[in-house]
Amino acid sequence: MAQQHLDPTDPTAGAVPGDALAGYLRAQATEFLRALRLHRETGGDAGVPARTRARPGDNGSEESVDAARALRRSARRISASLHTFRPLLDTDWSEAIRPELAWLSGTLAMEHAYAARLERLLLALHRLSGATVLPTQPGAVGAPGGAEVPQKTEPADAAPPTHPAATPERGNLTVGAAKAGALLERQLTLARTRAHSSALQAIGSSRFHAVADNIAVLASEVPLTPAAATADLRPLAASAEERLTDAVTALPLVTAGSPYNAEALIHGLSPDPAPHPQDAPWHQVRLLLRLHRYALEVLHGGTGPVDVRLLASGQALNRHRDASEAAAAAAQAARTPRIAPATAYALGVLHADQRHEVEAARFAFQQSWQMQTVGTP
Amino acid sequence: MAQQHLDPTDPTAGAVPGDALAGYLRAQATEFLRALRLHRETGGDAGVPARTRARPGDNGSEESVDAARALRRSARRISASLHTFRPLLDTDWSEAIRPELAWLSGTLAMEHAYAARLERLLLALHRLSGATVLPTQPGAVGAPGGAEVPQKTEPADAAPPTHPAATPERGNLTVGAAKAGALLERQLTLARTRAHSSALQAIGSSRFHAVADNIAVLASEVPLTPAAATADLRPLAASAEERLTDAVTALPLVTAGSPYNAEALIHGLSPDPAPHPQDAPWHQVRLLLRLHRYALEVLHGGTGPVDVRLLASGQALNRHRDASEAAAAAAQAARTPRIAPATAYALGVLHADQRHEVEAARFAFQQSWQMQTVGTP
């Protein structure tokens, strides 16, 4: 398939003026404010366990999750655009607001991340036990933690953390797998609840109000430099793409492209409990790919066709990140004092399984990325 | 690459007379007797731990391992030929001797199998700990348990079961990995020692002497039926190939050919400790592939060129079997009472790693088998 969107490196296409950036930032700022209003109206109680909520079945939590996701979505895009096109923006202003947006995105993301991680690990435990996959969470395996996918496709996120759907299946699990599941549920639900409190605190803080005020200004007036009016956005977008391709070139793609290279588990029993250093370059590419995608959105005013190959590469890297963190959570849980050997054994199998997911995600990225570079004219 | 050997289904090629079978059986019987003499001369003490041997460094053990391997090698070929070409042989005689040969091969194989399994698991533990692979056992990962590879290429088999080479690396292992290694070493060395005693007992038994007498007769006079002199061996060899291709067709090759299908670990935490039922069809194909290979040897009088694709497929299935049994051994060790959680965790990672080796071996088989069927005219 040929590239449908404007190629930022193509000198024959028309220049994209600074107005496009201003329009994009205004639209994202408006979206941010809309999501913020929705989040306040729905109360933001998504992380509170069902048993402590007044009406466990109401839609408030789902809408609140959607609102938080929309908040993060626009915050990421604003922050990325300020970074990619920083020569065209008031430096003091953009330097001041970017760390604040990063803090906000990060704080809001944690709750969802813990919920998705628990979901992923419990599903893996069931899969590894030969049990049927829980029918109520169809999307959770394919695109867990997928903040990039269209909204409303992941009702699993709204499920309360007590997971009543999982209970009837427990009969199929060994004692070890069931205990491992219960341990992970305890630890990750606690982390999720804490993240929820942090998010609520953050949204009520004066620091957050300052960010919201800044974004409200951005929605009406973008602080462009005088030169921005006549500048062309494409060279800056091309630089973002170049940083991405440079980082991808540095990845061990040949290894990743040969299946079952057993590379991801190579430190599976390493005494060092820190995250795998081998994952870092992949996480970095994930961020650069996102910057590139958002830069393309700016160029096309958000109306360009979806580049399926870029999307597939990004999803593979999301899966890579999710599996990497899930594997670390399983390893971490195995360090809990006084657990039974059967529990530890199940966590070991689970850790290795998720590290193989990491390897599989790298393979998937290599496949979709190769497709992309071959297809680009 | 085109097939170099005679195609047993090609009607234009010349018929292969029953004499070829008689010649092949005589040659294998002679080889069996030679290996038996060598085994008796070297004392067959390969399985005795080094510390209990008079001269730990002498070559007796290595020669004895080679002799046992040669014994099994010819016993397998004789047994397979009796099976494939049974209409051309005296029925009573071949029906009587085949179970005896199977008993002999099986008994002699166990000691080597336990040694290779321990080797494989200890190497995997080191690999999973990010430690360098032991330099003294270069062939052990690539072709473990490879009774099919040319002799003298696997000095690792001669290493005493105390594995002094592994000791300096232990510093790199976590406590869990080191304890898991020690546990596996204890259990598999015990099993190996028992297998060694059984093999020694078997070779000294009157049952074995009866087999040896039968093979001695075979070395001079093959009990062919009167019809065998004018019969063509090719249709019987073609039937063996057909049984193989039928069994391969029934394998889930499409799944196996898509990398990271996560199929092999699907019962990784199943409460049932029995061997994975999903492995059985692959083990069956491994045996049928061997029958097909030996039938080709009969047709070509042992002088045909090596079919590298058939060899690669067979090696993938050997690896499949070895990894499957190693995974079961790790799971079994994790059921040892009163082990530490860290040990159980390491065994869980190890089990999952070996199950992924199973999946990787299926992928490798699918790749080499596809190559073969495409290449066949």
Side-chain angles (χ1 to χ4, degrees):
Chain A
M1 221 171 70
Q3 297 286 79
Q4 294 295 318
H5 59 72
L6 291 174
D7 186 343
T9 59
D10 182 359
T12 62
V16 179
D19 276 356
L21 174 61
Y24 183 80
L25 283 173
R26 271 197 300 270
Q28 292 301 329
T30 306
E31 177 61 25
F32 181 94
L33 296 172
R34 192 195 63 77
L36 179 58
R37 202 167 49 240
L38 186 66
H39 193 268
R40 278 177 180 151
E41 281 166 8
T42 55
D45 63 346
V48 181
R51 56 184 173 276
T52 67
R53 251 186 272 148
R55 288 173 300 160
D58 72 5
N59 286 329
S61 70
E62 192 175 334
E63 279 171 15
S64 166
V65 165
D66 286 348
R69 184 178 291 153
L71 262 181
R72 288 191 287 128
R73 189 175 182 277
S74 43
R76 273 202 312 271
R77 279 167 171 74
I78 294 168
S79 179
S81 304
L82 298 188
H83 178 72
T84 302
F85 301 103
R86 63 189 172 287
L88 306 182
L89 291 152
D90 183 278
T91 315
D92 289 349
W93 178 82
S94 67
E95 290 291 311
I97 200 173
R98 279 201 62 228
E100 296 304 293
L101 285 170
W103 160 75
L104 178 65
S105 299
T107 308
L108 292 182
M110 290 315 290
E111 181 183 354
H112 172 78
Y114 285 122
R117 199 168 303 158
L118 178 59
E119 208 65 48
R120 164 180 271 273
L121 287 167
L122 291 182
L123 280 168
L125 275 177
H126 277 79
R127 174 168 48 77
L128 295 173
S129 305
T132 47
V133 170
L134 313 187
T136 49
Q137 285 112 347
V141 165
E148 302 297 317
V149 300
Q151 294 167 23
K152 296 274 184 194
T153 61
E154 281 196 346
D157 300 324
T162 47
H163 298 288
T167 318
E169 301 264 344
R170 276 289 156 75
N172 291 338
L173 298 187
T174 54
V175 175
K179 279 189 170 176
L183 178 63
L184 288 167
E185 198 162 312
R186 260 199 321 279
Q187 295 187 341
L188 289 173
T189 302
L190 178 63
R192 181 188 177 166
T193 307
R194 283 188 182 148
H196 181 69
S197 306
S198 301
L200 281 187
Q201 264 185 350
I203 286 185
S205 69
S206 58
R207 186 177 179 185
F208 178 79
H209 285 292
V211 178
D213 287 348
N214 261 311
I215 301 294
V217 171
L218 188 65
S220 57
E221 195 190 328
V222 176
L224 292 178
T225 60
T230 55
D232 184 3
L233 297 180
R234 292 176 308 153
L236 293 170
S239 299
E241 183 170 16
E242 204 176 304
R243 282 191 292 274
L244 168 64
T245 46
D246 285 355
V248 171
T249 309
L251 289 178
L253 281 189
V254 174
T255 301
S258 76
Y260 300 110
N261 52 69
E263 199 63 32
L265 197 56
I266 219 167
H267 294 283
L269 288 173
S270 161
D272 187 2
H276 282 245
Q278 57 166 282
D279 296 354
W282 299 86
H283 295 331
Q284 179 65 13
V285 166
R286 180 176 159 271
L287 298 179
L288 291 172
L289 187 89
R290 194 186 253 178
L291 288 177
H292 170 54
R293 266 186 53 217
Y294 297 162
L296 290 180
E297 285 183 9
V298 171
L299 293 190
H300 308 134
T303 58
V306 174
D307 184 333
V308 286
R309 285 161 300 180
L310 220 49
L311 207 66
S313 300
Q315 279 169 349
L317 292 174
N318 285 345
R319 191 175 144 213
H320 179 272
R321 194 257 331 249
D322 292 342
S324 164
E325 292 180 347
Q332 191 57 43
R335 288 164 187 267
T336 310
R338 287 181 301 280
I339 56 173
T343 312
Y345 176 78
L347 289 169
V349 172
L350 188 59
H351 171 77
D353 173 69
Q354 291 300 306
R355 288 305 301 173
H356 272 277
E357 269 284 296
V358 165
E359 201 180 296
R362 290 180 192 170
F363 177 74
F365 173 80
Q366 191 269 351
Q367 296 280 303
S368 45
W369 185 259
Q370 289 304 107
M371 215 168 32
Q372 182 183 23
T373 48
V374 167
T376 304
Chain B
M1 222 171 69
Q3 297 286 79
Q4 293 296 317
H5 59 72
L6 291 174
D7 186 343
T9 58
D10 181 0
T12 62
V16 178
D19 276 356
L21 175 61
Y24 183 80
L25 283 173
R26 270 197 301 270
Q28 292 301 329
T30 306
E31 177 61 24
F32 182 94
L33 296 172
R34 193 195 62 78
L36 179 58
R37 202 168 48 240
L38 186 66
H39 193 268
R40 278 177 180 152
E41 281 166 8
T42 55
D45 62 347
V48 181
R51 56 183 172 277
T52 66
R53 251 186 271 147
R55 287 173 300 158
D58 72 5
N59 286 329
S61 70
E62 191 176 334
E63 279 171 15
S64 167
V65 166
D66 286 348
R69 183 178 291 153
L71 262 181
R72 288 192 286 129
R73 189 176 182 278
S74 43
R76 274 201 312 271
R77 280 167 171 74
I78 294 168
S79 178
S81 305
L82 298 189
H83 178 71
T84 302
F85 302 103
R86 62 190 172 287
L88 306 182
L89 291 150
D90 183 279
T91 315
D92 289 348
W93 177 82
S94 67
E95 291 291 311
I97 199 173
R98 279 201 62 227
E100 296 304 292
L101 285 171
W103 161 74
L104 178 65
S105 296
T107 307
L108 291 183
M110 290 316 289
E111 181 183 355
H112 172 78
Y114 285 122
R117 199 169 302 157
L118 177 59
E119 208 65 48
R120 164 179 270 272
L121 287 167
L122 291 182
L123 280 167
L125 275 177
H126 277 79
R127 174 168 49 76
L128 295 173
S129 305
T132 47
V133 171
L134 312 187
T136 50
Q137 284 111 347
V141 165
E148 302 297 318
V149 300
Q151 295 167 23
K152 296 272 183 194
T153 62
E154 281 196 345
D157 300 323
T162 46
H163 298 288
T167 317
E169 301 264 344
R170 276 288 156 75
N172 291 338
L173 298 187
T174 54
V175 175
K179 279 188 171 177
L183 178 63
L184 289 166
E185 198 162 312
R186 260 200 319 280
Q187 295 187 340
L188 289 173
T189 302
L190 178 63
R192 181 189 178 167
T193 307
R194 283 187 183 148
H196 181 69
S197 305
S198 300
L200 282 187
Q201 264 185 351
I203 286 186
S205 69
S206 58
R207 186 177 178 186
F208 177 79
H209 285 293
V211 178
D213 287 349
N214 260 311
I215 300 296
V217 171
L218 187 65
S220 57
E221 195 190 328
V222 177
L224 293 179
T225 60
T230 56
D232 184 3
L233 297 180
R234 292 176 309 152
L236 292 171
S239 300
E241 183 170 16
E242 205 176 304
R243 282 191 293 274
L244 169 64
T245 46
D246 285 354
V248 171
T249 309
L251 289 177
L253 281 190
V254 174
T255 301
S258 75
Y260 299 110
N261 53 69
E263 200 63 33
L265 198 56
I266 219 167
H267 295 283
L269 289 173
S270 161
D272 187 1
H276 282 246
Q278 57 166 284
D279 297 354
W282 299 86
H283 295 331
Q284 179 64 13
V285 166
R286 180 175 159 272
L287 298 179
L288 291 172
L289 187 88
R290 193 186 254 179
L291 287 177
H292 170 54
R293 266 185 53 217
Y294 297 162
L296 290 180
E297 285 183 8
V298 171
L299 293 191
H300 308 134
T303 58
V306 174
D307 184 332
V308 286
R309 286 161 299 180
L310 220 50
L311 207 65
S313 300
Q315 279 168 349
L317 292 173
N318 285 345
R319 191 175 144 212
H320 179 273
R321 195 258 331 249
D322 292 343
S324 164
E325 292 180 347
Q332 191 57 43
R335 289 165 187 266
T336 310
R338 288 181 301 280
I339 56 173
T343 311
Y345 176 78
L347 289 169
V349 172
L350 188 59
H351 172 77
D353 173 70
Q354 291 300 307
R355 287 307 300 172
H356 272 277
E357 269 283 296
V358 165
E359 201 180 296
R362 289 180 191 169
F363 177 74
F365 173 80
Q366 191 269 350
Q367 296 281 303
S368 45
W369 185 259
Q370 289 305 107
M371 214 168 33
Q372 181 183 23
T373 48
V374 168
T376 304

